[in-house]
Amino acid sequence: RLFKGPEDCSINKYIIKDQFTSIDMYAFSYCNKIKKIKIPDQVYEIKKKAFIGCSSLTKIKLPINLKTIEESSLESCEKIKILKIPPKVTNIPNSLCKNCISLQKIILPLNLEIIGIMGFQNCTSLNEIKIPNKVIQIQSRAFKNCKSLSAIKLGKRITDIGEYTFSGCESLISIVLPFKLIKISSNLFSNCKNLQEVTIKKNIKSISSDAFDGCDNLQKIILQKGISKDFRSYIEKIFKELEIVISDI
């Protein structure tokens, strides 16, 4: 049964009744006085922009049986600090938590496979992220302008990271790129002003010339032993002022 939204958007707490299994698009959109929402565990679907602009919402527990959450569902929920994505969700949609400026911690499910475009863009309070090992793709701008993000652990199976994904992550100091990644995309780390060290695994085949634009403190590139001679020569050419190290990592 589809929940279409509250009759009164001026209250500060709302409990969705147990008979509902799906939350409609725009159900709580811009209900900017609601602070807490309780969702029953049998809800398996949250449609697009269901909670967009709930600027006073401080806490939301996503239901354990949730399988699908659509684009911009929690966009601009400016006061949420912690978010746990339930275990059956395999796809973070586009702009899920875009502009959630107070979000400090995200717990991603182990079965997650894709993180969508701008999924967590402008989450300026987010300080660390651990990408599960089943993730194969992080789409463009997913973590752009996460200015407090200082620790990123990337999953082992990632083959594609889109352009601008970590652009503007000003607190990031070092990054280890995943083994299966084959391309360093355009502006991937642009304007990461405090980035000092990058570790590149041997499967990388290409790197965009602007991938590290504005990384004024970049000092060291670590290349995995076995990387192709041509690519090593290219790295040494474009990063000729940096320390280049070959390692058994």
Side-chain angles (χ1 to χ4, degrees):
R1 189 175 173 185
L2 183 64
F3 178 78
K4 292 185 175 293
E7 293 180 4
D8 183 4
C9 219
S10 65
I11 57 176
N12 60 26
K13 185 177 180 180
Y14 195 88
I15 299 173
I16 299 174
K17 293 181 180 179
D18 288 344
Q19 70 255 38
F20 295 105
T21 57
S22 178
I23 299 175
D24 203 5
M25 62 180 73
Y26 304 102
F28 290 90
S29 63
Y30 300 100
C31 290
N32 55 22
K33 293 187 178 180
I34 290 181
K35 295 181 179 179
K36 291 184 180 180
I37 298 170
K38 185 176 180 182
I39 305 171
D41 277 340
Q42 61 265 35
V43 169
Y44 67 88
E45 177 186 45
I46 297 175
K47 296 193 175 185
K48 71 176 184 179
K49 301 186 178 182
F51 301 99
I52 190 173
C54 290
S55 56
S56 297
L57 187 63
T58 58
K59 189 175 182 181
I60 186 167
K61 182 182 178 183
L62 297 176
I64 191 70
N65 289 309
L66 187 68
K67 292 182 179 179
T68 302
I69 184 166
E70 295 184 358
E71 65 182 77
S72 300
S73 292
L74 297 166
E75 182 176 339
S76 299
C77 290
E78 297 177 350
K79 292 190 177 179
I80 291 177
K81 292 184 178 180
I82 299 174
L83 185 67
K84 184 177 181 179
I85 308 296
K88 294 179 182 179
V89 174
T90 59
N91 182 16
I92 298 294
N94 297 349
S95 301
L96 174 64
C97 293
K98 182 182 177 183
N99 300 329
C100 290
I101 57 176
S102 297
L103 188 62
Q104 297 174 8
K105 185 176 182 180
I106 305 163
I107 302 169
L108 298 175
L110 295 178
N111 289 320
L112 191 68
E113 296 176 0
I114 296 172
I115 299 175
I117 296 168
M118 298 185 290
F120 300 99
Q121 181 173 312
N122 299 332
C123 291
T124 52
S125 297
L126 185 65
N127 51 55
E128 65 177 345
I129 188 71
K130 183 178 180 181
I131 308 296
N133 282 330
K134 288 190 178 180
V135 172
I136 57 173
Q137 183 183 43
I138 304 176
Q139 296 178 352
S140 64
R141 295 170 168 80
F143 296 95
K144 186 181 180 185
N145 293 334
C146 291
K147 296 181 184 296
S148 300
L149 192 56
S150 59
I152 300 170
K153 186 174 182 181
L154 296 169
K156 296 177 181 178
R157 298 184 185 179
I158 296 170
T159 59
D160 180 33
I161 303 177
E163 61 183 24
Y164 290 93
T165 292
F166 298 109
S167 175
C169 293
E170 296 178 355
S171 299
L172 188 63
I173 295 173
S174 65
I175 186 75
V176 177
L177 297 177
F179 180 76
K180 292 191 175 183
L181 188 69
I182 58 174
K183 178 183 178 181
I184 300 177
S185 302
S186 174
N187 285 282
L188 181 55
F189 295 101
S190 61
N191 298 315
C192 291
K193 297 178 181 179
N194 290 297
L195 184 62
Q196 297 176 20
E197 183 178 296
V198 178
T199 300
I200 299 175
K201 301 295 181 69
K202 64 182 179 181
N203 283 325
I204 292 285
K205 299 295 187 291
S206 67
I207 176 171
S208 294
S209 59
D210 57 4
F212 297 95
D213 276 7
C215 296
D216 298 331
N217 287 301
L218 189 59
Q219 299 171 14
K220 187 176 182 180
I221 304 290
I222 300 173
L223 300 177
Q224 186 179 27
K225 190 176 181 180
I227 205 162
S228 73
K229 290 182 179 180
D230 288 344
F231 186 71
R232 176 180 171 180
S233 298
Y234 179 65
I235 288 287
E236 290 172 343
K237 182 179 179 180
I238 63 173
F239 295 114
K240 56 186 177 182
E241 296 179 1
L242 304 182
E243 181 185 0
I244 310 292
V245 176
I246 308 298
S247 173
D248 287 325
I249 46 171

